[in-house]
């Protein structure tokens, strides 16, 4: 796998916490990290300044400098942000690499090119993260219902990716139903949204396209080797919870307005499960 210290730096960059190694029990699970990443995006979009997360406490959502990891996302084609909050202002999280990572399932896609070769997960196209190096996360036998969600068959969940700043500001208009019968209603609602300038579906966002995630990914300069890296989370997404948006390269997990913090976190945990930490040297 990539250097363990480098992976911890990547987790720090994604979460906005100082992630440090420990020989004891990990303070957070891989699921906690995807929760933190998407919830920080969601609550910032909702206008909140802080996120309260169990076992960590208060996480700031405010921009601490012009290149804060949760500042407004760049326009498509622009480079991603490069710096996060000052380390002294971050919460510290202890992770035991041995119970957090799963090296047996690491995969280095750095020099792989798939070309026209198609891959499937859950009968949906899997765009493999070619050009990236994946550190596998230890998620097998961690969820009720077994590990079929993580497989390659028809019962597997599709693959999605999460950059650090994917939210409704991508200019997405509502969500679209799977049935063609929904199309007229969708078009009417989309037209109404254009009039009211409300273009965001309420929820958390990810993408099946690694290239889209890369545009919104987090960069960090490693203290291990002095090099700059990009980092993205590779997830599986529950097909029953995911909504396809007007843009085919964006998926939304809808969160109703009536949900409190606990219910919101439960929806995320039922919908998005991480299994890989992707790194690419810039």
């Amino acid at each position: 796998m990539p250097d363990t210290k480098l992976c911890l730096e990547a987790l720090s960059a994604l979460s906005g916490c100082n992630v440090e190694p420990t020989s004891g029990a990990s303070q957070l699970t891989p699921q906690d990290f995807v929760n933190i990443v998407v919830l920080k995006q969601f609550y910032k979009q909702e206008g909140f300044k802080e996120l309260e997360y169990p076992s960590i406490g208060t996480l700031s959502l405010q921009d601490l400098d012009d290149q804060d990891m949760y500042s407004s996302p760049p326009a498509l084609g622009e480079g991603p942000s490069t710096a996060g909050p000052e380390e002294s202002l971050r919460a510290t999280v202890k992770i035991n690499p041995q119970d957090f990572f799963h090296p047996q399932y690491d995969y280095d896609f750095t020099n792989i090119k798939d070309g026209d070769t198609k891959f499937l997960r859950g009968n949906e196209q899997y765009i493999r993260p070619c050009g990236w190096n994946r550190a596998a996360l230890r998620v097998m036998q961690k969820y009720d219902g077994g590990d079929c969600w993580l497989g390659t068959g028809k019962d597997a969940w599709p693959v999605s990716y999460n950059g650090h700043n994917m939210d409704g500001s991508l200019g997405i208009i509502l969500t679209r139903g799977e049935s063609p019968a929904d199309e007229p209603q969708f078009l009417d609602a989309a037209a109404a949204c254009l009039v009211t300038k409300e273009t965001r579906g309420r929820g958390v966002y990810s993408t099946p396209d690694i290239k889209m995630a890369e545009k919104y990914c987090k960069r960090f300069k490693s203290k291990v080797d002095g090099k700059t890296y990009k980092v993205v989370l590779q997830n599986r997404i529950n097909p029953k919870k995911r909504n396809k948006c007007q843009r085919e390269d964006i998926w939304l997990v809808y969160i109703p307005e009536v949900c409190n913090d606990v219910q919101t976190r439960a929806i995320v945990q039922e919908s998005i499960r991480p299994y890989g930490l992707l790194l690419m040297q810039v």
Side-chain angles (χ1 to χ4, degrees):
M1 67 179 287
D3 183 272
T4 299
K5 291 181 180 179
L6 179 62
C7 290
L8 296 183
E9 287 182 328
L11 290 173
S12 298
L14 276 174
S15 66
C17 301
N18 290 323
V19 181
E20 300 178 353
T22 180
S23 58
S26 293
Q27 192 174 350
L28 296 179
T29 67
Q31 182 66 53
D32 286 315
F33 274 92
V34 76
N35 291 353
I36 290 170
V37 170
V38 301
L39 289 175
K40 291 188 82 167
Q41 295 164 153
F42 170 68
Y43 280 115
K44 184 173 182 185
Q45 177 179 301
E46 291 293 296
F48 290 88
K49 301 297 184 184
E50 296 176 336
L51 167 67
E52 291 290 334
Y53 199 82
S55 79
I56 298 179
T58 303
L59 299 176
S60 174
L61 307 184
Q62 298 185 60
D63 295 344
L64 298 184
D65 57 47
D66 291 338
Q67 293 181 311
D68 177 40
M69 64 190 299
Y70 297 108
S71 60
S72 297
L76 293 183
E78 293 182 11
S81 59
T82 57
E86 293 296 327
E87 291 186 11
S88 61
L89 300 178
R90 297 176 174 182
T92 296
V93 173
K94 301 288 187 179
I95 292 298
N96 185 330
Q98 295 206 343
D99 66 27
F100 191 89
F101 296 106
H102 205 166
Q104 178 183 348
Y105 296 98
D106 290 349
Y107 201 98
D108 190 353
F109 293 91
T110 302
N111 298 311
I112 292 178
K113 295 181 180 180
D114 285 337
D116 294 330
T117 305
K118 302 294 184 184
F119 297 87
L120 296 176
R121 295 293 184 270
N123 289 336
E124 293 200 33
Q125 184 176 358
Y126 166 34
I127 301 174
R128 300 205 303 175
C130 296
W132 297 77
N133 192 358
R134 182 176 71 202
L137 306 178
R138 194 171 293 276
V139 293
M140 296 183 68
Q141 300 180 356
K142 301 292 185 181
Y143 297 93
D144 294 337
D147 294 327
C148 62
W149 65 274
L150 196 55
T152 60
K154 62 181 179 61
D155 294 327
W157 290 9
V159 174
S160 76
Y161 302 96
N162 198 280
H164 80 278
N165 218 346
M166 299 185 66
D167 62 24
S169 59
L170 288 170
I172 299 147
I173 303 174
L174 288 181
T175 58
R176 172 163 60 188
E178 297 290 335
S179 169
D182 293 336
E183 195 69 13
Q185 291 87 343
F186 168 76
L187 292 174
D188 289 343
C193 283
L194 285 173
V195 173
T196 61
K197 297 183 180 180
E198 178 52 60
T199 61
R200 300 186 296 190
R202 189 178 193 273
V204 298
Y205 291 84
S206 62
T207 175
D209 187 349
I210 184 61
K211 294 296 185 184
M212 169 61 76
E214 184 177 353
K215 291 175 181 177
Y216 287 84
C217 75
K218 175 66 179 174
R219 289 188 184 197
F220 67 96
K221 186 173 182 179
S222 173
K223 295 180 180 178
V224 175
D225 57 16
K227 298 175 182 177
T228 299
Y229 293 87
K230 299 176 182 179
V231 56
V232 166
L233 279 175
Q234 186 176 28
N235 316 308
R236 296 296 184 98
I237 190 166
N238 188 335
K240 296 179 181 179
K241 299 291 184 179
R242 169 209 58 185
N243 293 282
K244 293 184 178 180
C245 297
Q246 185 190 33
R247 291 176 54 164
E248 294 294 339
D249 55 0
I250 298 293
W251 289 343
L252 168 70
V253 172
Y254 177 68
I255 298 177
E257 291 191 26
V258 296
C259 291
N260 60 30
D261 291 350
V262 173
Q263 292 168 327
T264 296
R265 190 166 65 250
I267 289 174
V268 172
Q269 293 186 170
E270 293 170 357
S271 306
I272 303 176
R273 295 175 179 175
Y275 74 105
L277 181 70
L278 301 177
L279 291 166
M280 177 190 287
Q281 184 180 329
V282 176

